Amino acid sequence: MAITRRQFLAATPVVAVGVGTVTGLAQSGSWPKGIDVSKWQGTVNWMSVKHAGITFAFCKATEGTSYTDPYFDTNWPAMQSAGLFRGAYHYGRPGSDPTAQADHFIKTSRPRSGDLPGVLDLETTDGKTKSQVWNWTQAFVNRVKSRLGRPPILYTGFYFWRDSVGNPNNNLNCPLWLAAYQSSTSGLIPNAWSTWSFWQYSSTGTVAGVTGNVDRNYFNGSLTQLKALTLQ
Protein backbone atom coordinates (compact mmCIF):
# COMPACT_ATOMS: atom_id res chain seq x y z
CA MET A 1 0.00 0.00 0.00
CA ALA A 2 1.27 3.55 0.44
CA ILE A 3 4.18 5.11 2.30
CA THR A 4 1.92 6.20 5.16
CA ARG A 5 1.54 2.53 5.98
CA ARG A 6 5.30 2.11 6.28
CA GLN A 7 5.86 5.12 8.48
CA PHE A 8 2.72 5.46 10.57
CA LEU A 9 0.25 2.62 10.50
CA ALA A 10 2.57 -0.10 11.66
CA ALA A 11 4.63 1.92 14.09
CA THR A 12 0.64 -1.36 13.55
CA PRO A 13 -14.42 -8.43 14.87
CA VAL A 14 -17.18 -7.46 16.64
CA VAL A 15 -16.79 -9.96 13.77
CA ALA A 16 -14.05 -12.01 15.41
CA VAL A 17 -13.23 -14.53 12.74
CA GLY A 18 -10.04 -15.50 14.51
CA VAL A 19 -9.62 -18.27 17.03
CA GLY A 20 -8.48 -16.44 20.13
CA THR A 21 -5.83 -14.23 21.57
CA VAL A 22 -2.56 -15.73 20.28
CA THR A 23 -0.48 -12.80 19.09
CA GLY A 24 3.13 -13.87 18.61
CA LEU A 25 5.00 -15.06 15.54
CA ALA A 26 5.81 -18.19 17.50
CA GLN A 27 2.20 -19.25 16.84
CA SER A 28 2.39 -18.49 13.14
CA GLY A 29 2.93 -22.04 11.91
CA SER A 30 -0.78 -22.79 12.05
CA TRP A 31 -1.98 -19.54 10.46
CA PRO A 32 -2.79 -19.41 6.73
CA LYS A 33 -0.24 -17.23 4.95
CA GLY A 34 -0.98 -14.40 2.54
CA ILE A 35 0.43 -11.48 0.59
CA ASP A 36 -0.93 -8.23 -0.80
CA VAL A 37 0.18 -6.49 -3.97
CA SER A 38 -0.33 -3.43 -6.12
CA LYS A 39 1.33 -1.97 -9.20
CA TRP A 40 4.60 -1.74 -7.26
CA GLN A 41 5.07 -5.51 -7.49
CA GLY A 42 4.62 -5.49 -11.27
CA THR A 43 3.79 -8.80 -12.93
CA VAL A 44 3.24 -11.62 -10.43
CA ASN A 45 3.53 -15.34 -11.18
CA TRP A 46 0.56 -16.43 -9.11
CA MET A 47 1.10 -20.16 -9.59
CA SER A 48 4.58 -19.78 -8.10
CA VAL A 49 3.05 -17.81 -5.24
CA LYS A 50 0.60 -20.63 -4.58
CA HIS A 51 3.34 -23.26 -4.69
CA ALA A 52 5.33 -21.21 -2.17
CA GLY A 53 2.67 -21.94 0.45
CA ILE A 54 0.56 -18.80 0.13
CA THR A 55 -3.14 -19.41 0.76
CA PHE A 56 -4.72 -15.99 0.25
CA ALA A 57 -3.89 -12.70 -1.44
CA PHE A 58 -5.22 -9.18 -1.73
CA CYS A 59 -4.57 -6.87 -4.66
CA LYS A 60 -5.22 -3.18 -5.03
CA ALA A 61 -8.23 -2.40 -7.17
CA THR A 62 -9.02 1.27 -6.82
CA GLU A 63 -8.22 4.59 -5.17
CA GLY A 64 -10.40 7.64 -4.84
CA THR A 65 -13.31 8.05 -7.24
CA SER A 66 -11.67 7.14 -10.54
CA TYR A 67 -8.23 5.50 -10.24
CA THR A 68 -7.84 1.78 -11.02
CA ASP A 69 -4.58 -0.04 -10.38
CA PRO A 70 -3.08 -0.89 -13.79
CA TYR A 71 -2.35 -4.50 -12.74
CA PHE A 72 -5.75 -5.23 -11.24
CA ASP A 73 -7.32 -6.70 -14.37
CA THR A 74 -4.37 -9.09 -14.64
CA ASN A 75 -4.02 -9.98 -10.96
CA TRP A 76 -7.69 -10.53 -10.21
CA PRO A 77 -8.41 -13.51 -12.50
CA ALA A 78 -4.90 -14.93 -12.11
CA MET A 79 -5.26 -15.14 -8.32
CA GLN A 80 -8.43 -17.18 -8.76
CA SER A 81 -6.89 -19.41 -11.42
CA ALA A 82 -4.00 -20.20 -9.08
CA GLY A 83 -6.45 -21.44 -6.45
CA LEU A 84 -5.92 -18.64 -3.93
CA PHE A 85 -8.54 -17.06 -1.73
CA ARG A 86 -8.60 -13.61 -3.30
CA GLY A 87 -9.62 -10.18 -2.10
CA ALA A 88 -9.49 -6.66 -3.53
CA TYR A 89 -8.77 -3.43 -1.69
CA HIS A 90 -9.66 0.21 -2.12
CA TYR A 91 -7.26 2.92 -0.99
CA GLY A 92 -9.58 5.34 0.74
CA ARG A 93 -9.37 9.07 0.13
CA PRO A 94 -11.31 10.96 2.81
CA GLY A 95 -10.95 14.13 0.76
CA SER A 96 -13.55 13.03 -1.79
CA ASP A 97 -17.03 11.51 -1.84
CA PRO A 98 -17.23 8.16 0.03
CA THR A 99 -20.29 6.90 -1.82
CA ALA A 100 -18.70 7.51 -5.21
CA GLN A 101 -15.55 5.75 -4.03
CA ALA A 102 -17.47 2.72 -2.78
CA ASP A 103 -19.38 2.50 -6.06
CA HIS A 104 -16.15 2.78 -8.07
CA PHE A 105 -14.60 0.01 -5.98
CA ILE A 106 -17.56 -2.35 -6.36
CA LYS A 107 -17.92 -1.68 -10.08
CA THR A 108 -14.23 -2.41 -10.63
CA SER A 109 -13.76 -5.44 -8.36
CA ARG A 110 -17.08 -7.13 -9.23
CA PRO A 111 -17.09 -9.30 -6.07
CA ARG A 112 -18.60 -12.74 -6.40
CA SER A 113 -19.21 -15.89 -4.39
CA GLY A 114 -15.96 -17.33 -3.02
CA ASP A 115 -14.14 -13.99 -2.87
CA LEU A 116 -13.02 -12.47 0.39
CA PRO A 117 -14.93 -9.33 1.36
CA GLY A 118 -13.57 -6.15 -0.15
CA VAL A 119 -11.12 -4.11 1.90
CA LEU A 120 -11.13 -0.45 2.85
CA ASP A 121 -7.48 0.58 3.17
CA LEU A 122 -7.66 3.42 5.67
CA GLU A 123 -4.27 5.07 6.10
CA THR A 124 -4.47 8.68 4.95
CA THR A 125 -6.51 11.69 6.08
CA ASP A 126 -6.22 13.95 3.02
CA GLY A 127 -5.90 16.76 5.57
CA LYS A 128 -9.27 16.04 7.17
CA THR A 129 -9.98 16.17 10.89
CA LYS A 130 -10.51 13.07 13.01
CA SER A 131 -14.27 13.50 13.01
CA GLN A 132 -14.32 14.03 9.25
CA VAL A 133 -12.28 10.89 8.66
CA TRP A 134 -14.57 8.90 10.95
CA ASN A 135 -17.71 10.22 9.24
CA TRP A 136 -16.18 9.40 5.85
CA THR A 137 -15.33 5.88 7.01
CA GLN A 138 -18.86 5.24 8.21
CA ALA A 139 -20.33 6.46 4.93
CA PHE A 140 -18.02 4.26 2.85
CA VAL A 141 -18.68 1.17 4.96
CA ASN A 142 -22.44 1.75 4.95
CA ARG A 143 -22.48 2.09 1.17
CA VAL A 144 -20.59 -1.18 0.70
CA LYS A 145 -22.85 -2.94 3.18
CA SER A 146 -26.01 -1.62 1.53
CA ARG A 147 -24.90 -2.85 -1.88
CA LEU A 148 -23.27 -6.17 -0.97
CA GLY A 149 -24.98 -7.11 2.28
CA ARG A 150 -21.63 -7.34 4.06
CA PRO A 151 -19.31 -4.70 5.52
CA PRO A 152 -15.78 -4.58 4.14
CA ILE A 153 -12.63 -5.68 5.92
CA LEU A 154 -10.96 -2.61 7.39
CA TYR A 155 -7.18 -2.25 7.03
CA THR A 156 -5.59 0.14 9.51
CA GLY A 157 -3.08 0.45 12.33
CA PHE A 158 -3.31 1.24 16.02
CA TYR A 159 -1.80 4.72 15.75
CA PHE A 160 -3.76 5.80 12.70
CA TRP A 161 -7.03 4.64 14.24
CA ARG A 162 -6.20 6.43 17.49
CA ASP A 163 -4.67 9.64 16.19
CA SER A 164 -6.32 10.18 12.81
CA VAL A 165 -9.76 8.57 13.13
CA GLY A 166 -10.37 9.61 16.74
CA ASN A 167 -10.16 6.16 18.35
CA PRO A 168 -13.87 5.27 18.02
CA ASN A 169 -15.09 2.16 19.86
CA ASN A 170 -17.38 1.11 17.00
CA ASN A 171 -15.79 -1.22 14.43
CA LEU A 172 -18.86 -1.08 12.14
CA ASN A 173 -18.79 -4.91 12.11
CA CYS A 174 -15.72 -4.80 9.88
CA PRO A 175 -13.13 -7.56 10.38
CA LEU A 176 -9.77 -6.00 11.23
CA TRP A 177 -6.73 -6.27 8.96
CA LEU A 178 -4.03 -4.96 11.28
CA ALA A 179 -0.79 -3.38 10.10
CA ALA A 180 1.83 -4.04 12.79
CA TYR A 181 5.46 -4.83 12.00
CA GLN A 182 6.42 -6.25 15.38
CA SER A 183 6.86 -9.83 16.53
CA SER A 184 3.59 -9.56 18.45
CA THR A 185 0.33 -7.65 18.06
CA SER A 186 -0.01 -7.30 21.82
CA GLY A 187 -1.07 -3.75 22.69
CA LEU A 188 -1.46 -2.76 19.03
CA ILE A 189 -5.06 -3.77 18.36
CA PRO A 190 -7.30 -0.67 18.15
CA ASN A 191 -9.82 -0.58 20.96
CA ALA A 192 -12.77 -1.09 18.60
CA TRP A 193 -11.72 -4.73 18.10
CA SER A 194 -10.98 -7.58 20.49
CA THR A 195 -8.69 -9.32 18.01
CA TRP A 196 -7.44 -9.18 14.44
CA SER A 197 -8.65 -11.26 11.50
CA PHE A 198 -5.68 -10.50 9.24
CA TRP A 199 -2.24 -9.31 10.33
CA GLN A 200 0.18 -7.62 7.97
CA TYR A 201 3.37 -8.36 9.86
CA SER A 202 5.99 -7.32 7.28
CA SER A 203 6.36 -4.93 4.36
CA THR A 204 9.70 -6.42 3.28
CA GLY A 205 8.84 -10.07 2.74
CA THR A 206 9.92 -12.24 -0.15
CA VAL A 207 7.84 -14.86 -1.95
CA ALA A 208 8.56 -16.92 -5.05
CA GLY A 209 6.73 -15.43 -8.02
CA VAL A 210 7.06 -11.82 -6.80
CA THR A 211 10.00 -9.63 -7.74
CA GLY A 212 11.37 -7.64 -4.81
CA ASN A 213 9.69 -7.00 -1.48
CA VAL A 214 6.07 -7.84 -0.81
CA ASP A 215 3.77 -7.40 2.19
CA ARG A 216 3.30 -10.61 4.20
CA ASN A 217 0.17 -11.47 6.15
CA TYR A 218 -1.44 -14.06 8.39
CA PHE A 219 -5.08 -15.01 8.86
CA ASN A 220 -6.11 -15.58 12.47
CA GLY A 221 -7.90 -18.88 12.07
CA SER A 222 -8.09 -22.11 10.13
CA LEU A 223 -8.61 -22.67 6.41
CA THR A 224 -12.21 -23.59 7.21
CA GLN A 225 -12.70 -20.25 8.97
CA LEU A 226 -11.04 -18.40 6.09
CA LYS A 227 -13.45 -20.02 3.66
CA ALA A 228 -16.37 -19.14 5.93
CA LEU A 229 -15.39 -15.48 5.66
CA THR A 230 -15.81 -15.48 1.86
CA LEU A 231 -18.87 -14.12 0.10
CA GLN A 232 -21.65 -16.66 -0.43
Side-chain angles (χ1 to χ4, degrees):
M1 299 182 185
I3 192 168
T4 50
R5 168 198 290 183
R6 315 288 185 232
Q7 297 180 336
F8 188 50
L9 278 178
T12 148
V14 176
V15 181
V17 178
V19 294
T21 59
V22 287
T23 56
L25 284 173
Q27 304 292 331
S28 63
S30 62
W31 291 333
K33 299 174 177 63
I35 63 172
D36 61 272
V37 302
S38 67
K39 69 176 183 179
W40 302 112
Q41 279 68 47
T43 300
V44 176
N45 185 326
W46 287 105
M47 289 304 300
S48 294
V49 169
K50 173 70 172 179
H51 292 154
I54 299 301
T55 300
F56 66 90
F58 294 98
C59 65
K60 183 174 183 177
T62 51
E63 179 174 338
T65 59
S66 59
Y67 176 83
T68 299
D69 187 280
Y71 284 86
F72 176 75
D73 285 340
T74 299
N75 284 328
W76 194 233
M79 292 157 68
Q80 184 179 52
S81 295
L84 295 165
F85 289 97
R86 67 177 186 175
Y89 74 85
H90 174 81
Y91 188 94
R93 286 291 186 181
S96 60
D97 183 75
T99 298
Q101 291 191 50
D103 288 345
H104 174 47
F105 177 48
I106 293 168
K107 180 180 179 180
T108 301
S109 59
R110 305 178 302 279
R112 64 189 67 178
S113 177
D115 292 338
L116 292 167
V119 177
L120 169 58
D121 174 1
L122 188 62
E123 58 176 296
T124 190
T125 67
D126 283 346
K128 299 300 181 180
T129 66
K130 297 174 187 179
S131 62
Q132 288 173 324
V133 173
W134 174 231
N135 289 337
W136 182 95
T137 301
Q138 293 177 83
F140 182 97
V141 169
N142 288 338
R143 180 62 170 179
V144 171
K145 186 176 180 180
S146 70
R147 291 198 57 187
L148 301 181
R150 292 270 297 275
I153 297 165
L154 204 155
Y155 170 95
T156 195
F158 175 85
Y159 297 104
F160 189 87
W161 188 259
R162 184 190 69 182
D163 300 335
S164 298
V165 189
N167 210 26
N169 290 317
N170 185 357
N171 64 27
L172 306 176
N173 286 321
C174 296
L176 173 64
W177 180 4
L178 178 69
Y181 303 149
Q182 289 80 11
S183 62
S184 169
T185 62
S186 179
L188 291 174
I189 298 173
N191 66 355
W193 290 269
S194 61
T195 190
W196 52 271
S197 295
F198 296 90
W199 173 17
Q200 185 188 77
Y201 65 90
S202 175
S203 62
T204 57
T206 58
V207 171
V210 182
T211 301
N213 291 337
V214 66
D215 297 334
R216 295 296 306 266
N217 301 273
Y218 289 120
F219 173 71
N220 188 10
S222 65
L223 286 176
T224 299
Q225 289 170 308
L226 182 60
K227 184 175 181 180
L229 183 60
T230 61
L231 301 175
Q232 303 303 311

